[in-house]
Amino acid sequence: MRLAGIDLGNDSIKIVYDGTNEPITVPNIVTPGYDRHIFQEEDAPHKALDVTVYSPALTLNNRRWFVGQLATELEDSSELEETDNKALSDQSLIVALTALAYSGITAPSYSPPSYSQADEVELVIGTGLPVRTYAKYRESFEQRLVGEHEIVFHSTPQLHGRKVKLRIRKAVVSIEGAAAIFNLATHDNLQVRDEEIYGGVIGVCEIGALTTDLPVIRRMAIDNHFSYGEQMGLANYLDPIRREVEDQFGYAFPSRAKLAQRIKQREFVIQRIGEGQATIKPIVDTYFSRAAVRIVDLIKKRWKKCPDIQCFYVIGGGAAALKPYLIEAAGPVKLRFVPDSELQNVLGYVKVARSRMNQGAFAEMTN
């Protein structure tokens, strides 16, 4: 039985296994599956996740789906919207179970059972929910994850026809942002790494695709009074960027994920019909500057309400994308950024789950 952290981001699902810091990332995007015409097989399984998923928690059961990168290329793909709740979302669960099954059976340490026709993966997982949904949905979220699920791979390279029985024995749910601070404060063995973070009052701004969470961590415990979440994230700005690019240049990004990938790689030049090219950077700059101003305003308001906050960490995938814009918008207000910002939560989920399993000193973070 392995221990894994899984970050069910609205833009992508990230998985890290205990003992490794190498993430597995699958875009949180699906489209109904079908028998594909394959002219050349993809060179890696994660590029063509084609599955049928069964789970007691799913409304749409035993359906075939294209998941992740394969779905990002298709115009009828589904991405999560502001009205979606990841604790209750079928789509997030489909992507999460697919990613766990795929990563479980492709891990170097995996050995298939000799007594069964199906692959078997048994896990304890750590995961998280936004501040605003944590209290109300934590229990139901745990119940949806825990249990036995079944994933069958179809046209996925190297995994054709393999059936995976995925057993999740326990799910430890933390608050997004808080788990990241736990990761920054501790070593892999859970001993204290940073006394300032461990013993201080720390503000966090965790910028996701659809939510921005601002928990306040007081000596490694969540401050119930000052912690706050906003139903706003990077997607609020990526969608209008897509529309404006199409209006100006006639170039349509098939999904939010494809645009986000371009921006992350700093590839702003697009190919127009004919042989012309254009840059979308001015459009990105306009919308990301607006996003930064709004987020810095949220941070300042939180700091004013809770003046005990010693420093503010800005983390998450949105922090990595918006960093230069946030620094400019913040002016003299110092904000703290960390490397691998988008991985801090998932690394923290592994540690929180391990501390809970060990009945460690920090288990109160998930209470």
Side-chain angles (χ1 to χ4, degrees):
M1 185 163 59
R2 300 189 69 188
L3 174 61
I6 178 165
D7 181 359
L8 274 74
N10 292 305
D11 62 334
S12 64
I13 306 285
K14 302 172 193 72
I15 298 172
V16 169
Y17 283 92
D18 194 21
T20 173
N21 288 337
E22 290 297 319
I24 294 115
T25 302
V26 177
N28 192 349
I29 181 167
V30 301
T31 190
Y34 46 82
D35 289 332
R36 297 195 295 147
H37 297 294
I38 301 172
F39 301 107
Q40 182 171 338
E41 191 171 71
E42 292 80 4
D43 59 7
H46 73 271
K47 294 181 180 179
L49 294 172
D50 173 8
V51 294
T52 294
V53 181
Y54 171 79
S55 168
L58 285 175
T59 307
L60 301 174
N61 238 323
N62 279 331
R63 302 284 183 93
R64 185 172 177 177
W65 303 98
F66 295 155
V67 172
Q69 192 169 326
L70 184 60
T72 63
E73 309 290 344
L74 303 171
E75 292 187 358
D76 61 345
S77 59
S78 299
E79 295 180 277
L80 294 184
E81 303 298 336
E82 288 181 63
T83 52
D84 291 313
N85 180 340
K86 72 173 73 174
L88 307 176
S89 164
D90 264 15
Q91 176 174 318
S92 284
L93 188 59
I94 288 163
V95 180
L97 296 177
T98 301
L100 286 168
Y102 150 70
S103 61
I105 64 172
T106 56
S109 59
Y110 176 73
S111 55
S114 56
Y115 55 84
S116 173
Q117 292 183 332
D119 290 282
E120 296 184 4
V121 175
E122 196 165 347
L123 295 170
V124 171
I125 62 172
T127 187
L129 285 174
V131 169
R132 288 177 66 169
T133 55
Y134 176 81
K136 185 174 181 180
Y137 294 104
R138 184 192 69 169
E139 201 170 306
S140 57
F141 187 43
E142 287 178 3
Q143 289 170 357
R144 296 189 83 217
L145 291 167
V146 172
E148 186 169 306
H149 318 273
E150 189 174 277
I151 298 88
V152 179
F153 291 90
H154 299 294
S155 65
T156 304
Q158 304 166 34
L159 302 178
H160 295 244
R162 287 177 71 171
K163 180 189 292 185
V164 181
K165 290 188 181 297
L166 177 65
R167 296 186 181 92
I168 299 176
R169 295 299 188 190
K170 185 175 180 63
V172 179
V173 184
S174 310
I175 290 178
E176 292 177 0
I181 291 299
F182 182 57
N183 181 57
L184 293 172
T186 58
H187 291 288
D188 288 342
N189 63 4
L190 305 183
Q191 297 300 308
V192 176
R193 176 169 66 181
D194 189 313
E195 292 284 356
E196 180 192 37
I197 299 176
Y198 175 75
V201 182
I202 310 299
V204 186
C205 179
E206 200 270 340
I207 308 167
L210 296 175
T211 58
T212 297
D213 288 293
L214 296 108
V216 175
I217 316 300
R218 194 180 291 270
R219 290 180 291 279
M220 284 295 103
I222 304 293
D223 189 307
N224 290 319
H225 183 68
F226 291 111
S227 295
Y228 173 76
E230 188 80 20
Q231 199 68 26
M232 177 274 294
L234 208 57
N236 297 70
Y237 300 90
L238 291 173
D239 286 338
I241 289 171
R242 285 171 66 197
R243 287 194 295 271
E244 192 156 330
V245 168
E246 188 168 9
D247 289 345
Q248 277 195 34
F249 305 118
Y251 184 97
F253 285 96
S255 62
R256 200 187 294 146
K258 290 293 288 185
L259 171 60
Q261 184 181 35
R262 279 289 198 95
I263 293 172
K264 186 175 182 180
Q265 295 169 351
R266 311 296 293 173
E267 295 176 1
F268 296 110
V269 175
I270 56 172
Q271 186 69 43
R272 303 185 70 176
I273 294 175
E275 294 190 10
Q277 293 183 327
T279 177
I280 63 170
K281 191 173 186 301
I283 299 173
V284 173
D285 287 344
T286 298
Y287 283 97
F288 276 18
S289 294
R290 291 182 195 172
V293 168
R294 185 172 175 187
I295 287 166
V296 168
D297 187 51
L298 289 173
I299 290 170
K300 287 179 178 177
K301 286 178 179 177
R302 198 63 10 207
W303 219 327
K304 191 173 181 180
K305 283 182 179 291
C306 184
D308 291 345
I309 293 173
Q310 295 162 233
C311 56
F312 237 103
Y313 280 87
V314 186
I315 59 168
L322 293 173
K323 182 178 177 180
Y325 307 93
L326 289 165
I327 291 171
E328 183 179 350
V333 177
K334 186 180 177 184
L335 302 175
R336 295 193 182 186
F337 297 86
V338 296
D340 298 323
S341 180
E342 68 277 10
L343 299 180
Q344 295 305 312
N345 267 329
V346 71
L347 293 171
Y349 295 151
V350 175
K351 289 182 179 179
V352 172
R354 184 158 16 103
S355 71
R356 169 60 67 88
M357 297 304 291
N358 296 341
Q359 295 298 305
F362 305 106
E364 69 268 18
M365 289 195 69
T366 60
N367 288 336

